[in-house]
Amino acid sequence: RFENSGQLLIFPSQHGESSQDNNVALTLASIDPKTEPVKKPTKTKQPGHARNPKPDLPHVPIYAEAPSPDELPCACCGTKRVATRQILQSSRYQFVPAKFYFEDLYSQVYECPSCSTSDSKQLVVKVPEIVENGTAASGLLAQIIVSRDFDHMPFNRQSAIYKRSDVNLNRSTLSDYYAQAARILTPLSNYMQQILLQSDVISTDDTPVKVLDRLKAKSIKLGRVWVYFGDGAHPVTLFDYTESRGRDGPMTYLAGFKGRLQGDCFSGNLAICAAIDTILVACMAHARRYFVKSKHNDKEGSNTALAVFQALYETERTAKELELSPEDTRIMREQESMPILASFKTWLQQEQLTAPAKSSFGKAIFYCLNNWVALTQYVTDGRLSIDNNHSEREMKYIAMGRKAWLFFGSDQGGKNHATILSILATCRRHNVEPWAYLTDVIQRLAENPSENLEDLLPYKWKVKYPQRTSAEIMAFLPTPKVA
């Protein structure tokens, strides 16, 4: 983190001084550590650590064993002592590994007692199945999904864990179950895409993934996973898979979108904005990164630029702490951020005249000036963010999983992954417990394919079907009855 503890003024011109060329340069702190000590900012004392509140778990009483007969007689009169009450000594956590059991599905046959028995006169009521003659119930499908894409546990590791419970589920079987769950959840994911396209602002980013392809060298090619982060009024986070980084992928996925797109200055994003006649909202964090990398090349100039970004982010931090409305945020940016940006642009233009074009510092300046309109677009609307970090944070879950499952088995596997990850990312965004949600939603979609999809959105489901406590989740599935 860049810290400039002795900073005075950033741009003198914003406080009414002369705006001539010789005053455009930044007035930064020039405290020599040899002559003046740098005072560290005082830190607010944090509250002391306390124990976390105990969760709502079932309590199983454990009683102390009865003492030996020799210890029961009273020391005073010799009368035998008897138990009168219990005192809660303490409570401790205990763990029981997950258990498997079979659900035997029985169809109910209804016949007319007055007519002769025949198949045409029978009424057979079947139990709704996730997959016709399938061997996985909704709870197991949800567990496989959450383990792989929420806890980043690949199928071979899951298979080894299940084997400890004497259940042999091979990696290929788990992969088939995963694909079945993706097919069931696809209508919900498509409905969430329709909600996403109604957003005023969509943030996006992408990352490469390895995909098996026997026709390629080393049987590996690079695919792409994209994230699309909806705005506050349409709070869904969706993923999409494409076979390459071409602009056709995002343009197809965002067909019909009329809002603004926030992301890096990738040519595909620029093409989308040109197609929908809007302006790209670029990411200030990307521009700042260039100056962080250029510190070894021009420390003084890089520190000057970093001080500017520090001031811009301080404005954003203040607006967030004050919980300002979008309109008030826009006004605050006009008053505080726009003068800084105007002087910063003039400073960049002057530095560009002397900075080597191929140096890291020169490239940082070129990136800012070449994308200036997109980088400063955020000040025109309080609903826009100064950077794209909120969507880039979603990419870390891809990176974490990529180190575990290593690659996709096919392009269809990438699409299945994107469908399921869209559901899980939206659950994470709204703090919805993923296993309970998926178990319920998969079962509902299997029983009624025409289920109202709006009620099954994670943030709607959370209100309509309140989350179960841990004790209720443990008792969610029926207990097997012993004959």
Side-chain angles (χ1 to χ4, degrees), residues 195-202 230-231 234 257-260:
I195 295 176
L196 174 78
L197 297 180
Q198 300 173 19
S199 300
D200 293 324
V201 184
I202 293 179
D231 58 20
H234 309 86
F257 173 57
K258 299 299 181 183
R260 280 167 290 188

Side-chain angles (χ1 to χ4, degrees), residues 428-439:
R428 185 187 294 110
R429 181 170 178 175
H430 297 280
N431 196 28
V432 175
E433 204 286 312
W435 181 87
Y437 171 79
L438 286 171
T439 301

Side-chain angles (χ1 to χ4, degrees), residues 95-269:
F95 176 77
V96 178
K99 294 184 179 180
F100 287 83
Y101 66 89
F102 282 109
E103 288 183 340
D104 297 329
L105 310 183
Y106 290 94
S107 300
Q108 190 68 39
V109 180
Y110 294 84
E111 298 176 349
C112 177
S114 302
C115 302
S116 58
T117 303
S118 63
D119 293 342
S120 61
K121 297 179 180 180
Q122 292 178 350
L123 173 63
V124 180
V125 181
K126 293 186 177 182
V127 180
E129 296 186 65
I130 306 298
V131 177
E132 188 70 26
N133 296 325
T135 56
S138 58
L140 179 58
L141 293 180
Q143 176 63 26
I144 294 170
I145 290 172
V146 172
S147 295
R148 184 181 187 269
D149 292 333
F150 211 85
D151 301 330
H152 316 297
M153 192 177 300
F155 292 144
N156 62 326
R157 203 174 303 163
Q158 289 189 53
S159 179
I161 293 173
Y162 300 151
K163 194 171 184 179
R164 295 202 298 262
S165 299
D166 294 329
V167 176
N168 292 317
L169 294 175
N170 296 327
R171 182 176 60 180
S172 59
T173 303
L174 296 178
S175 181
D176 290 341
Y177 287 165
Y178 187 88
Q180 291 174 9
R183 286 194 292 270
I184 294 170
L185 295 171
T186 294
L188 180 58
S189 177
N190 293 339
Y191 181 72
M192 293 169 65
Q193 182 183 0
Q194 298 176 16
I195 295 176
L196 174 78
L197 297 180
Q198 300 173 19
S199 300
D200 293 324
V201 184
I202 293 179
S203 302
T204 184
D205 195 21
D206 66 283
T207 188
V209 288
K210 293 180 179 179
V211 185
L212 287 184
D213 189 344
R214 303 301 182 188
L215 301 179
K216 300 289 184 180
K218 298 182 180 180
S219 299
I220 287 288
K221 68 176 182 180
L222 278 183
R224 286 277 167 175
V225 174
W226 305 75
V227 63
Y228 299 99
F229 198 93
D231 58 20
H234 309 86
V236 293
T237 303
L238 301 185
F239 286 81
D240 186 34
Y241 168 81
T242 58
E243 299 181 23
S244 66
R245 206 191 183 194
R247 64 185 66 178
D248 295 339
M251 288 191 69
T252 301
Y253 194 84
L254 297 177
F257 173 57
K258 299 299 181 183
R260 280 167 290 188
L261 191 68
Q262 184 158 26
D264 54 28
C265 297
F266 165 55
S267 59
N269 293 338

Side-chain angles (χ1 to χ4, degrees), residues 66-84:
S68 63
D70 297 338
E71 297 175 327
L72 287 178
C74 178
C76 298
C77 62
T79 305
K80 186 178 180 180
R81 286 176 281 199
V82 296
T84 57

